[in-house]
Amino acid sequence: DAKTTQPPSMDCAEGRAANLPCNHSTISGNEYVYWYRQIHSQGPQYIIHGLKNNETNEMASLIITEDRKSSTLILPHATLRDTAVYYCIVAPTGNQFYFGTGTSLTVIP
Amino acid sequence: GAVVSQHPSRVICKSGTSVKIECRSLDFQATTMFWYRQFPKQSLMLMATSNEGSKATYEQGVEKDKFLINHASLTLSTLTVTSAHPEDSSFYICSASSGTKNEQFFGPGTRLTVL
């Protein structure tokens, strides 16, 4: 079963930062926080992952709270192409992913 | 990132026939591959985990005799839906991970329609 809780939907204005929250209060010490997104009828696309430190790459930033019970994915300048379902997953590296329901992000012009 | 392909991308078959879906890691060796199923407006559901050269591990409720998985090499896993029925119509997605990378890389998915 999925160990994460996300809001079902969010809107964001184009050009603004999109902040997507995720709760994972039962995360274990060896579990990473992964973020993927899925555009309609495509396979999920990897965005970013982290263990306990904040991470940043060319797509997004990942902020993990000190107790690791929640995290936030930040898309710094949302574009229309960022409209997708965003999934937060916690899992040990190399292990099975159990997807929750995700957050449907709509970027509004 | 690493590339995972699936073939075919779309298949329509008659009820009672079997369908094979291939999943390939194109630029890395995948020690583990995963198969998911996604129904319309729902999330991905893990079906099984396969490690190269060994039997697949199926999730609870997934019939291993109906969904045959073979992971014969480090770059190829196949899912065969045997005696397909209309309720097996779904979007089937594979993913692959290697021992050196923490993330899973997903294929583009295969849309199966059983008439």
Side-chain angles (χ1 to χ4, degrees):
Chain A
D1 289 340
K3 296 176 67 171
T4 59
T5 304
Q6 299 176 250
S9 63
M10 292 181 63
D11 292 339
C12 177
E14 187 178 18
R16 305 298 291 266
N19 296 279
L20 291 88
C22 180
N23 287 324
H24 32 80
S25 59
T26 61
I27 191 170
S28 301
N30 66 338
E31 290 180 317
Y32 287 73
V33 179
Y34 294 87
W35 283 85
Y36 284 76
R37 71 182 182 185
Q38 185 179 29
I39 297 170
H40 182 62
S41 294
Q42 297 182 25
Q45 177 191 21
Y46 168 77
I47 300 174
I48 199 167
H49 76 283
L51 184 61
K52 52 184 178 181
N53 296 324
N54 297 337
E55 302 288 342
T56 295
N57 62 21
E58 64 278 5
M59 289 183 68
S61 294
L62 172 61
I63 308 299
I64 302 174
T65 57
E66 194 168 339
D67 64 8
R68 303 210 320 126
K69 293 184 176 182
S70 66
S71 61
T72 301
L73 178 74
I74 301 172
L75 307 178
H77 306 286
T79 69
L80 298 180
R81 288 189 291 183
D82 292 324
T83 292
V85 178
Y86 287 76
Y87 294 102
C88 166
I89 304 155
V90 296
T93 179
N95 274 30
Q96 296 88 341
F97 282 179
Y98 295 100
F99 283 74
T101 52
T103 295
S104 178
L105 174 69
T106 302
V107 180
I108 302 169
Chain B
V3 179
V4 175
S5 70
Q6 283 184 239
H7 178 79
S9 59
R10 185 181 298 268
V11 57
I12 301 172
C13 70
K14 293 182 179 180
S15 184
T17 61
S18 295
V19 175
K20 180 185 285 189
I21 302 170
E22 291 185 349
C23 176
R24 293 182 184 274
S25 56
L26 298 185
D27 51 3
F28 69 101
Q29 293 187 323
T31 52
T32 307
M33 287 184 167
F34 305 88
W35 287 95
Y36 298 82
R37 181 168 53 180
Q38 186 175 32
F39 293 109
K41 299 189 184 302
Q42 294 186 21
S43 186
L44 283 78
M45 289 173 40
L46 179 66
M47 299 175 67
T49 302
S50 74
N51 292 293
E52 185 263 340
S54 62
K55 289 185 177 180
T57 303
Y58 290 81
E59 295 296 305
Q60 192 173 10
V62 178
E63 299 174 57
K64 63 179 181 181
D65 295 329
K66 180 169 183 61
F67 299 100
L68 302 179
I69 292 172
N70 184 278
H71 192 165
S73 77
L74 286 172
T75 59
L76 173 64
S77 176
T78 60
L79 168 69
T80 301
V81 183
T82 62
S83 186
H85 292 283
E87 57 265 31
D88 298 323
S89 297
S90 189
F91 193 49
Y92 291 86
I93 307 169
C94 72
S95 70
S97 69
S98 71
T100 58
K101 294 182 182 293
N102 288 333
E103 59 266 36
Q104 289 184 30
F105 299 97
F106 285 80
T110 297
R111 175 79 56 193
L112 170 64
T113 302
V114 184
L115 302 177

